[in-house]
Amino acid sequence: MKEKLTNNWGLKLISVCLAMLMWLVVINESNPIERRSVTVTNIKYLNEDVVIDSGKTYTVGELENRGISISVPVRKQDARKVQGDDFQIVIDLAKIGPYGTVEIDVEWLGSGDREYEITESEITWRTTTVTVTLEDIIERTYPVLLKTTGEPADEYILGEESVVSPRSVTIKAPQSVMERIRSAGIEVNINGLNSEASGEAALILYDVAGEELILDYEEFEEFEFSISQQKIAYTIPLLKTKEVRLNFAPPEGTVAEGYRYTGRQGGNQTVHIAGLRGVLADIDTIEIPSEALNLEGARQNVELELDISRYVPEGVTVESDNIVKVTLAVEPLIRQTRELLPEKIRMEDGQEGWNYTIRGSVLVVLEGLEDDLNALTDDMLDAWLSLDGLEEGENQVEVQVTAGNAFTLVQVGRAAVTMEAVPETGGEALTGTASGANEGTAASDASSASSTAGETSTAAATAAPDE
């Protein structure tokens, strides 16, 4: 009997099967299988080259942001071991439908060191299809702008010839990103500098509002976003400033007849210029040439706007307002007639033994500016005539008048001068030398030292100027 029991392999096999069945029953009761829900955000794209080769990029918006929820069968004791990162969503881009929809699959990546088992075919998920959004990849070239912050040292300004290298960059990005990029450039702090600044700065992208555009470059694939150069070299010249005088040459041309140029009015007498220190050292004035101040034929004030930058040396710029307004004053001339009394006319070159008398006043026509003529007095006129060559009786004599550079003598009348012999006294003739008398009469002096005879007379007639 004993031998029958120990040598019966059939019974032994049945016993083992019964034992295993009993073990499974115990396990299922103490550690049953249950479903565990986790969120999967890992995505694996297949056949990306189908999209890339067409010049596009792709996004699966809601899926990439939120993932999908899956249900996983797992033993109760292992339920907490299951994590969303143990799975990935699989999207085959070659299977995109006409409306951008594509079916998704879920793969188990393994349990790692957490050691749990699942049946992959029993994984379930509600979201079975997603929409793939295709977007064009745009490539554009932007000039590199240079922006400075801060202020240089006193008496220094920025030069106009700042240089950046490269001068432009090429950016490749999805259309939605490219639409956010308005410009590209660098920023350099020049606060307190008094010499040329140079170096490298990181490229900055700016949005439509002019603010720095912050992009997370890690969220882009290499094929869909790139910048040709992200480090930009720069050179920023700083120029010395200096205040210099404007030196105006005499105006060119002649005003119309009957008018006079009376001087320059207005215009800044100094300007601020900028340049290299070595260049500015020899510049103290800016010369404004005559041809810039043309008066030809002017009958009224000439208003000019002079661009001072045209007259500075090469390598020098005008820091202040380079337009200077200048007025060349032109005033009309008027004529005024003056009456010179005999006592205001000096007589010269008289002969001995003769009396000379100016009979009446002399008219003088002067041309000049109204204000100048009104300020002119008779004492400011120097009038004289020559008695040389006169004959006895009444003579018409030219009068010479000096009025100064501000006036033009238009006409001077002749003086009526009477020449009379000095009467004899005591039977002895008197001889003398005629001289100009302030009273308008020239009288001879007696040769005798003890007596002098003279005669002064004034005629009531007036000598009119020649027509």
Side-chain angles (χ1 to χ4, degrees):
M1 184 68 179
K2 182 178 180 181
E3 290 181 357
K4 288 182 179 181
L5 291 174
T6 57
N7 293 324
N8 191 336
W9 292 101
L11 291 175
K12 291 180 179 180
L13 181 58
I14 292 172
S15 298
V16 170
C17 291
L18 289 173
M20 292 179 64
L21 181 61
M22 292 295 295
W23 179 81
L24 289 174
V25 171
V26 172
I27 290 298
N28 285 332
E29 289 182 359
S30 63
N31 189 21
I33 293 177
E34 62 180 33
R35 300 199 74 84
R36 162 79 166 165
S37 294
V38 293
T39 299
V40 181
T41 56
N42 296 326
I43 303 175
K44 176 182 179 181
Y45 293 99
L46 302 178
N47 298 310
E48 290 179 295
D49 56 328
V50 173
V51 175
I52 296 171
D53 292 346
S54 66
K56 298 180 182 295
T57 186
Y58 55 88
T59 55
V60 185
E62 294 186 1
L63 185 63
E64 292 174 348
N65 295 330
R66 297 186 303 180
I68 64 171
S69 177
I70 65 172
S71 177
V72 181
V74 65
R75 292 290 178 182
K76 182 177 182 179
Q77 292 180 353
D78 295 331
R80 293 185 178 275
K81 297 179 182 179
V82 180
Q83 299 178 5
D85 290 342
D86 298 339
F87 305 84
Q88 68 179 7
I89 304 167
V90 180
I91 299 177
D92 189 347
L93 297 175
K95 296 181 179 180
I96 298 177
Y99 298 102
T101 59
V102 62
E103 291 186 356
I104 65 173
D105 195 8
V106 175
E107 292 182 347
W108 181 45
L109 301 176
S111 62
D113 57 3
R114 293 188 298 277
E115 297 182 352
Y116 67 87
E117 293 293 334
I118 65 170
T119 301
E120 189 172 354
S121 61
E122 294 182 4
I123 302 173
T124 60
W125 56 90
R126 290 185 178 181
T127 303
T128 58
T129 61
V130 293
T131 300
V132 178
T133 301
L134 299 180
E135 188 176 7
D136 290 333
I137 299 294
I138 305 297
E139 186 172 274
R140 289 179 184 166
T141 298
Y142 293 84
V144 177
L145 307 178
L146 173 62
K147 178 182 178 181
T148 59
T149 59
E151 295 294 334
D154 290 343
E155 298 185 349
Y156 284 85
I157 64 170
L158 286 177
E160 295 182 355
E161 300 299 325
S162 296
V163 176
V164 293
S165 180
R167 294 180 179 274
S168 61
V169 294
T170 299
I171 301 175
K172 182 173 68 174
Q175 183 173 351
S176 60
V177 176
M178 193 67 77
E179 288 174 352
R180 298 169 59 192
I181 303 174
R182 173 56 60 87
S183 60
I186 59 173
E187 294 184 6
V188 180
N189 189 343
I190 60 167
N191 197 49
L193 295 183
N194 60 3
S195 61
E196 181 179 273
S198 60
E200 281 189 341
L203 184 73
I204 300 174
L205 303 181
Y206 297 95
D207 61 19
V208 293
E211 301 294 332
E212 182 177 354
L213 179 62
I214 305 300
L215 296 176
D216 184 2
Y217 297 111
E218 293 183 356
E219 72 180 47
F220 299 104
E221 297 289 345
E222 184 177 349
F223 76 88
E224 63 181 356
F225 188 91
S226 64
I227 301 177
S228 60
Q229 187 79 24
Q230 296 199 40
K231 287 291 185 180
I232 307 298
Y234 63 85
T235 300
I236 305 174
L238 292 181
L239 303 179
K240 185 78 168 62
T241 62
K242 184 178 183 180
E243 185 177 19
V244 295
R245 217 170 25 87
L246 296 179
N247 186 31
F248 293 87
E252 181 180 74
T254 305
V255 297
E257 185 176 353
Y259 293 83
R260 179 175 295 168
Y261 166 62
T262 59
R264 188 186 70 254
Q265 300 174 358
N268 297 328
Q269 296 303 306
T270 61
V271 294
H272 284 83
I273 59 174
L276 298 177
R277 281 181 291 181
V279 175
L280 295 190
D282 298 328
I283 302 176
D284 295 317
T285 61
I286 302 298
E287 303 293 332
I288 308 300
S290 295
E291 54 264 27
L293 311 170
N294 195 319
L295 283 169
E296 188 63 36
R299 297 176 180 270
Q300 59 186 5
N301 290 349
V302 177
E303 306 285 346
L304 299 174
E305 290 189 355
L306 303 178
D307 185 354
I308 303 302
S309 62
R310 296 178 55 188
Y311 308 110
V312 297
E314 186 177 356
V316 176
T317 59
V318 180
E319 179 198 0
S320 55
D321 188 357
N322 62 313
I323 302 298
V324 174
K325 295 183 178 180
V326 176
T327 299
L328 304 179
V330 176
E331 298 182 43
L333 299 175
I334 65 170
R335 292 185 177 184
Q336 193 177 88
T337 301
R338 294 295 182 94
E339 185 178 358
L340 289 179
L341 298 177
E343 59 266 25
K344 298 297 183 180
I345 303 173
R346 187 173 71 255
M347 291 184 288
E348 299 178 352
D349 306 324
Q351 302 179 46
E352 294 181 0
W354 295 89
N355 283 335
Y356 299 88
T357 303
I358 299 175
R359 299 185 180 279
S361 59
V362 175
L363 298 181
V364 177
V365 180
L366 298 166
E367 185 178 72
L369 299 174
E370 184 175 7
D371 290 344
D372 292 344
L373 287 171
N374 292 338
L376 181 67
T377 65
D378 291 346
D379 292 335
M380 298 168 64
L381 297 175
D382 183 18
W384 77 97
L385 55 79
S386 175
L387 301 173
D388 185 36
L390 298 190
E391 298 179 353
E392 185 176 4
E394 186 171 307
N395 299 265
Q396 295 295 319
V397 183
E398 291 185 357
V399 179
Q400 306 297 320
V401 178
T402 301
N405 295 332
F407 308 97
T408 300
L409 287 171
V410 178
Q411 190 176 29
V412 180
R414 291 175 177 268
V417 180
T418 301
M419 178 177 175
E420 298 176 326
V422 176
E424 296 181 356
T425 303
E428 183 178 353
L430 296 176
T431 61
T433 302
S435 62
N438 289 335
E439 305 304 327
T441 302
S444 63
D445 294 333
S447 59
S448 173
S450 60
S451 63
T452 302
E455 177 179 340
T456 302
S457 60
T458 303
T462 299
D466 296 337
E467 296 298 333

